[in-house]
Amino acid sequence: MLSRFLPRKMSTCPIPTPLTHQPPVIIVGTGLAGLSAATQLTKQNVPVLLLDRAEKPGGNSMKASSGINGAGTRFQTIPDTVAEFYEDTVRSAGKPYSAARTVDKERREKLISTVAKKSKGAVDWLSGEMGVDLSKVAQLGGHTKPRTHRGAKGKPPGAAIVGTLLDGLKENPFAEMRMKSRVTKILKESEEVVGVEYVDVEENVQSIRGPVIFASGGFAGDVHGMVQKYRPDLAGIPSTNEAREGSQPLLSDIGARLIDMEHIQIHPTGFLDFKDPSATVKFLAAEALRGEGGILLLGDGTRFVNELQTREHVTDAVWKSAAKLDSEGQLRQWDITLLLDEGAAAALDTHMQFYLWKGLIQKTTLGEVGQTALETIQEYADIVAGKKADPYGRPAFGNWTLSEPQADSVVYVGKVTPVLHFTMGGVLFNEEAQVLDEHGQPIQGLWAAGEVTGGLHGQNRLGGSSLLECAVFGRIAGDQAASFWKNHYLPAGEQ
């Protein structure tokens, strides 16, 4: 039974299937990548054990608030193609892509092509088979078309997607989940990964055998560890991630190659909580807030950037134009106001309800924001109405409806600052989700998906592509691991 491979003190019920006398596929991490892989595996009657060091499942995927990208889906009203999505991703990837050597460039092209081509299928899978509402589509920064999907109402997209997959696995007889279980070593024999060691909830060291999928996330919260190692210049910038060490070194310890580790994405808009402005962990101000029409203002009430440019571009504009705030200790924060009118706010529904409830956004009037802001909003309203061109080149304005701003016009404002958000670097992998060694060769018995990987995004990730890569490569990893498990762990008579 599978229980003989699990820690005795943590064992619940053994998986009641004919296959439980075989080791499971081990998935490290319970975010969307891990859950997508587990869902694919259990469909094929392959036993799965998910390990996660956190107290609750879901990872950072649970927090994702802007949506999931898809090109050519049934929800898009403006025509969009895989080729356009591919080009937007290449453009966003920047120098790591354009300056790559031939072999490295070909590998990156295959990763980008895979995620673009399979984006429609990922949205179809989640919205069709899994029943997640993804009918609302917005255009985010760096995209030439609206292609980022979320629900029209209800939970934010990350919570909706992750919650649905968790519900599906909760009662699945082929799935086990162990929280507060920190993987400390990958077991490798004769050039093949054969399991992991981990520390369980009672601090006992355990080992379990089986093929392994790593879906353990990035290291943007590891500010005193890996962030300090690869980007010491980012010290003091707050993060949207909890302080948690990165797991990429576990992979490099067994010969996996790491790539793009210095490319850490700074998201331009993390909320400054009015009640605790010096908090080092921030709530993300979703990019959808700008996609639906929101704008960014400097402390003097003026605009300074195309809010729908890439995250990298907007962050650079903040650093060049905005004043730094006085903060405690070494914390580095900037003075930026995010402002939405009633039309943009209404389009965001539950997002706004949550932000207002948390006190991260406040309902006020333009007169309270200031005279300069009133003048700025009048100019922006004229731009939206087509009366003048936007000097910053913003191509779309979401659901902004305020056309004749007055001092008593209702608006919604929040204070935001750049935050450490996402790590583009990680373990090198290929389009089949296989982890690659220093020579670019697959390490047998090992796959990876999600933010733990590197090579897909280059120096800048497009908003909406984090959930997408988790769904695409998580499912690929699940299918690949299922085939491997059946060939290596399932006796010939049971195949």
Side-chain angles (χ1 to χ4, degrees), residues 86-101 104-105 108-109 112 142 260 262-263 265 310 312-313 424 455-462:
Y86 178 93
E87 290 302 324
D88 287 349
T89 305
V90 167
R91 191 180 308 109
S92 180
K95 190 174 181 180
Y97 174 87
S98 61
R101 295 179 297 108
D104 186 30
K105 193 167 189 175
R108 292 178 188 270
E109 286 173 344
I112 295 172
D260 294 344
E262 72 277 19
H263 296 302
Q265 185 170 77
T310 64
E312 183 179 40
H313 180 93
M424 274 75 68
L456 170 61
H457 303 294
Q459 69 184 32
N460 182 71
R461 175 178 65 78
L462 288 172

Side-chain angles (χ1 to χ4, degrees), residues 295-299 301-304 335-337 339 369 373 376-377:
I295 62 173
L296 299 177
L297 306 176
L298 297 174
T302 60
R303 272 182 81 215
F304 63 100
D335 184 14
I336 301 295
T337 296
L339 185 147
V369 180
T376 298
I377 300 308

